[in-house]
Amino acid sequence: MSSTSVVESDYLKRWVGAPLTEALTEVALKRPADPIEYIALWLLRYKENEIRKAEEKANNDRLAAEKKQLEEEERKRAELEEERKRIETENAAKKAEIEKALAEQAKKTEATS
């Protein structure tokens, strides 16, 4: 067998082997009145299904990426909320210290007046 025939054979096996085998098997089992038309329509339907599968995979991949992004955004939001609460607590403590210092200063001022 020449190298061209091997390459052509590999090409046919890779791209049309499985679907054509399935189509021919169905023709042998169902014995349609017009087997050529049956194979043609079967292959068109096969191609449509392959396109649909590829679109579904792309949609699922996109959905998974969006889900991952959402989870990351939720994690960051939780971190920011935690940071906000920490700062709020620190600010409340500082405010209490300042109020205490002002109250003590006010007492000292009253005591010296």
Side-chain angles (χ1 to χ4, degrees):
M1 190 182 270
S2 72
S3 63
T4 305
S5 296
V6 171
V7 171
E8 290 171 356
S9 176
D10 289 344
Y11 171 82
L12 291 173
K13 284 178 188 175
R14 179 175 180 198
W15 294 106
V16 297
L20 193 53
T21 301
E22 288 180 44
L24 291 172
T25 300
E26 250 188 67
V27 165
L29 293 173
K30 294 186 178 182
R31 300 192 182 273
D34 186 349
I36 301 299
E37 181 181 18
Y38 187 91
I39 292 170
L41 293 173
W42 191 96
L43 289 171
L44 283 173
R45 203 168 43 247
Y46 177 87
K47 182 62 178 173
E48 290 168 355
N49 289 337
E50 290 297 305
I51 291 169
R52 193 173 306 113
K53 285 179 192 175
E55 289 171 350
E56 285 177 12
K57 184 185 181 317
N59 288 338
N60 289 339
D61 290 349
R62 188 172 43 254
L63 182 62
E66 289 174 0
K67 184 177 179 182
K68 185 177 179 181
Q69 182 180 3
L70 179 62
E71 289 169 353
E72 180 65 18
E73 288 172 1
E74 285 294 320
R75 185 189 63 75
K76 286 180 181 180
R77 187 201 56 75
E79 287 176 0
L80 288 173
E81 182 63 19
E82 189 176 305
E83 179 72 5
R84 184 194 64 76
K85 287 179 180 178
R86 185 189 61 76
I87 291 170
E88 194 174 86
T89 302
E90 287 177 4
N91 287 343
K94 287 178 184 178
K95 182 179 178 184
E97 286 178 29
I98 292 170
E99 288 174 351
K100 182 179 176 183
L102 287 174
E104 289 174 3
Q105 188 177 14
K107 285 183 183 178
K108 287 181 184 177
T109 304
E110 278 182 19
T112 58
S113 311

